[in-house]
Amino acid sequence: MNQINPHLERLRLLRPVRGRLAAGLLCMAVAVAVQLWAPKAVAYVMDNMAALAGAGLPPSWLLLAFGVMLLQAMASALRYYLFHSAGLDIVNGLRRELFAALLKQPIAFFDRHHVGELGSQLSADVQSLHEAMTIEAASALRAACVFAGATAMMLAISPLLALVLAVFIPATLYMGKFSGHNFRKHAKEVQASVADSGKTAQEHFSHVRLVHAYNQQPHSLAKYAEAIARQMRLQLSMARLVAGFQGVSSLLTFAALLATLWLGSVLIGRGQLTMGGLAAFVIYSSMVSDSASSLSSFWTSWMRSIGATERVFDILRSQLPAGDGAATLHLSGQFAFRDVRFAYPERADLLALDGISFGVQAGEKIALVGASGAGKSTIAALLLGFYRPDGGAILFDGQDANGLALAAVRDHIAIVEQEPSLFSGTIADNIAFALPAGRAGMDEIVAAARLANAHDFIEAFPAGYQTLVGERGIQLSGGQKQRVAIARAALRNPRILILDEATSALDAASEQLVQRALDQLMVGRTTLIIAHRFSTIMKADRILVMERGRLCQQGSHEELMRQPDGLYLHLMQHQVSLAG
């Protein structure tokens, strides 16, 4: 695998805004030209002070100088705006690109990364490129132009005096290069600590009710304080590096100035340099020193941004597995598992499914039962393509899922979960989420809500379908959230329906309303029911009994109840005893 150049990888982000950057560079060239002209004007005035003492500077000169300074001010302002706006475009574009890349990651990726960490990558990590790639990069380009122009001017004034800076400037540039590696390493550690503190805060905010219920505010504060303390230590370490770099740079700058003044005074005494020439040379040398420091500072900042965004570009470079099949499919709803073996990536030594084989006909209702951890939800996860089997095959209408486009398969599947996932928008938005943006009309949304027995309670709200549900649907009751989720599934009109403990968390009254909605939704659809409750299991055409990742029994309720040594009978008897 070829090593990717991190510098070129980030510079490619400039391509969409190259026109704006070119205009900014033009403005910068104007500003630099004026800056390089100014010391020559100062030298002329100083060397001709006696001639100008009586009449002063001609008004035309003053007017010209004012016009030039106005031009420089306008060019500088326009340069700043062009580069800053380009930087915002780059950052926002990179955030969109990163968000899209994150959404396309397999579910196993999200099993390994916390949502707070991903949020930090979208905000702090990407933001670190903003200044480095535009404002600071423009300043570095300006510094390079000033450096070259001022060096040429100094050589024209006094080549001997220019040799003094030949010692100090390379030292400053080398120091910047030497520091770059350390800045990159520290920046990566700092960004990781920022992500960790964000993850800690997000996690405790997400479970704030539990924190309050158990009076764990001090514990939460201690966890966050620990994360912040580590972040502070790393940031202080970075600050010490920057402070040391700036201190040495400042020392080199003043040393160069002192050496220039000493040698300049010697040359004036010999008649080899005028006072105005020395003044102009000092100004130019100051420009060169400042430019060298700016270039070194930019290099350290650039390396810092590369370190801070390594994780971002790792994600953008990642190649995601995808099926090679057609983008659209026409599935009947038939599917099968053939000797499927699977272990979760974070628990690779423990099989969640061990040689599972079964087939489901189109329109058939299958119930999966078994103790917690038996592998029921894992089957649903594999059916949705959240993970790939480690062995065996999953077939849709006789076709291996590995040869089908995953998105096209998912177009035919809908899921209703035990705890419905709702966004913080309106009820209508949450139902319409079943289809691509703009595809769902209000009539279709209402029809789906009616099928889910949700229309009446939605209309009872003052805002109706435009009612905001709050974060994770907190403004709705459990039964209401479940019926919104059922309406969403109905709007999708799937061939395969997955019900993952869809009624297990509801009270008896809510369960009846939700169950009636589910009964309507299941009509004519292949349905995979994951459930514990006897009333739900009874509606299945066939029951698959699972134990420790294996399929140990299958058949109708009556058939399984006639097997006295079977796990199914034991599970049903246990449920009856709990109900009693």
Side-chain angles (χ1 to χ4, degrees):
M1 181 177 178
N2 295 329
Q3 185 69 29
I4 297 175
N5 188 306
H7 306 287
L8 296 178
E9 189 175 27
R10 284 149 182 80
L11 288 175
R12 71 172 178 81
L13 300 173
L14 300 176
R15 192 176 303 151
V17 294
R18 57 186 179 274
R20 204 178 316 171
L21 293 177
L25 289 173
L26 180 61
C27 293
M28 183 187 71
V30 172
V32 168
V34 174
Q35 184 178 357
L36 292 174
W37 166 82
K40 294 292 290 183
V42 171
Y44 179 83
V45 171
M46 290 185 67
D47 289 339
N48 295 275
M49 190 66 73
L52 298 173
L57 291 174
S60 58
W61 284 26
L62 294 174
L63 187 61
L64 175 62
F66 178 78
V68 170
M69 294 304 171
L70 180 61
L71 176 64
Q72 197 235 21
M74 293 174 62
S76 297
L78 187 57
R79 173 190 66 85
Y80 178 85
Y81 174 78
L82 289 171
F83 279 107
H84 189 74
S85 62
L88 292 175
D89 275 355
I90 289 170
V91 168
N92 290 331
L94 183 58
R95 282 193 175 124
R96 288 193 298 268
E97 191 176 345
L98 177 60
F99 187 72
L102 287 170
L103 285 179
K104 293 175 184 176
Q105 294 296 317
I107 296 300
F109 173 88
F110 295 94
D111 292 342
R112 298 190 303 270
H113 296 84
H114 193 277
V115 64
E117 176 188 351
L118 300 179
S120 174
Q121 290 176 343
L122 278 172
S123 56
D125 290 13
V126 172
Q127 185 63 31
S128 67
L129 275 178
H130 178 213
E131 299 295 332
M133 289 199 68
T134 53
I135 303 302
E136 291 183 7
S139 296
L141 284 172
R142 177 179 173 278
C145 293
V146 170
F147 183 91
T151 300
M153 291 294 191
M154 286 191 302
L155 287 171
I157 293 172
S158 174
L160 180 61
L161 201 55
L163 287 176
V164 175
L165 296 180
V167 177
F168 295 98
I169 301 305
T172 302
L173 294 176
Y174 176 77
M175 187 180 62
K177 181 180 179 181
F178 179 77
S179 304
H181 175 74
N182 287 330
F183 279 118
R184 178 177 177 178
K185 178 184 176 182
H186 277 71
K188 187 176 181 179
E189 294 175 347
V190 167
Q191 292 303 112
S193 69
V194 170
D196 184 58
S197 60
K199 175 178 70 176
T200 302
Q202 191 276 337
E203 190 169 48
H204 285 85
F205 286 148
S206 296
H207 300 93
V208 68
R209 285 172 173 77
L210 187 65
V211 171
H212 278 250
Y214 283 87
N215 290 325
Q216 286 293 339
Q217 294 92 333
H219 171 74
S220 298
L221 178 58
K223 292 283 288 184
Y224 186 69
E226 180 183 347
I228 287 294
R230 179 176 180 273
Q231 178 182 327
M232 184 68 172
R233 287 194 299 271
L234 290 170
Q235 288 174 328
L236 286 175
S237 177
M238 174 72 82
R240 284 192 292 269
L241 278 175
V242 174
F245 171 77
Q246 291 183 346
V248 175
S249 294
S250 178
L251 177 62
L252 289 173
T253 298
F254 282 110
L257 178 61
L258 287 174
T260 300
L261 290 173
W262 173 78
L263 184 56
S265 64
V266 172
L267 293 176
I268 290 174
R270 294 177 181 175
Q272 297 176 349
L273 187 68
T274 66
M275 186 65 75
L278 177 60
F281 191 94
V282 169
I283 296 174
Y284 283 126
S285 67
S286 177
M287 289 182 182
V288 170
S289 298
D290 290 344
S291 298
S293 296
S294 296
L295 289 172
S296 295
S297 296
F298 167 71
W299 180 252
T300 58
S301 176
W302 176 250
M303 295 302 290
R304 191 163 60 237
S305 72
I306 287 180
T309 54
E310 278 187 5
R311 297 179 304 169
V312 171
F313 284 88
D314 284 343
I315 293 171
L316 294 177
R317 286 193 300 266
S318 62
Q319 297 297 314
L320 305 175
D324 298 324
T328 58
L329 289 172
H330 299 285
L331 299 182
S332 67
Q334 179 187 7
F335 67 91
F337 279 54
R338 294 286 181 263
D339 194 28
V340 171
R341 295 181 306 281
F342 172 73
Y344 286 96
E346 301 302 301
R347 304 191 301 272
D349 57 339
L350 180 63
L351 282 176
L353 296 180
D354 187 6
I356 290 289
S357 295
F358 65 91
V360 180
Q361 298 302 312
E364 190 177 7
K365 296 175 181 59
I366 299 295
L368 288 177
V369 300
S372 296
K376 306 183 298 296
S377 293
T378 302
I379 287 179
L382 291 176
L383 196 63
L384 279 162
F386 291 164
Y387 306 93
R388 296 286 189 182
D390 298 322
I394 300 174
L395 310 176
F396 291 94
D397 286 0
Q399 305 174 73
D400 192 328
N402 288 330
L404 301 175
L406 181 57
V409 172
R410 286 175 175 164
D411 282 340
H412 296 276
I413 304 176
I415 183 170
V416 180
E417 306 159 291
Q418 177 180 0
E419 179 59 37
S421 300
L422 298 184
F423 293 92
S424 59
T426 66
I427 292 176
D429 290 339
N430 275 281
I431 296 175
F433 192 77
L435 300 178
R439 284 266 301 274
M442 200 61 209
D443 291 343
E444 295 173 291
I445 292 172
V446 172
R450 289 185 185 278
L451 186 145
N453 288 331
H455 178 72
D456 290 343
F457 87 76
I458 294 173
E459 284 293 287
F461 291 130
Y465 283 84
Q466 300 307 311
T467 299
L468 296 174
V469 302
E471 184 180 1
R472 291 177 298 172
I474 197 170
Q475 301 298 328
L476 302 180
S477 69
Q480 289 171 338
K481 287 193 289 187
Q482 202 67 282
R483 280 178 281 168
V484 169
I486 293 170
R488 181 168 57 201
L491 181 62
R492 192 167 183 81
N493 192 25
R495 299 307 309 151
I496 300 173
L497 177 65
I498 301 173
L499 305 178
D500 191 356
E501 302 282 6
T503 62
S504 63
L506 303 176
D507 57 64
S510 297
E511 181 184 5
Q512 289 183 2
L513 288 170
V514 170
Q515 192 59 60
R516 284 202 297 270
L518 290 174
D519 290 342
Q520 296 183 69
L521 182 60
M522 288 188 289
V523 174
R525 294 184 171 92
T526 305
T527 307
L528 186 67
I529 306 169
I530 301 172
H532 288 101
R533 294 194 179 185
F534 179 80
S535 58
T536 306
I537 297 170
M538 285 288 292
K539 298 179 182 298
D541 300 320
R542 186 157 46 106
I543 300 168
L544 307 182
V545 186
M546 299 188 64
E547 184 179 23
R548 297 179 181 176
R550 291 178 175 272
L551 184 60
C552 61
Q553 287 179 285
Q554 62 176 307
S556 66
H557 170 72
E558 291 77 12
E559 292 170 345
L560 295 176
M561 289 296 288
R562 289 197 293 268
Q563 299 177 18
D565 297 328
L567 177 62
Y568 182 77
L569 179 61
H570 172 73
L571 290 172
M572 291 301 101
Q573 289 174 340
H574 180 66
Q575 187 177 126
V576 170
S577 66
L578 289 177

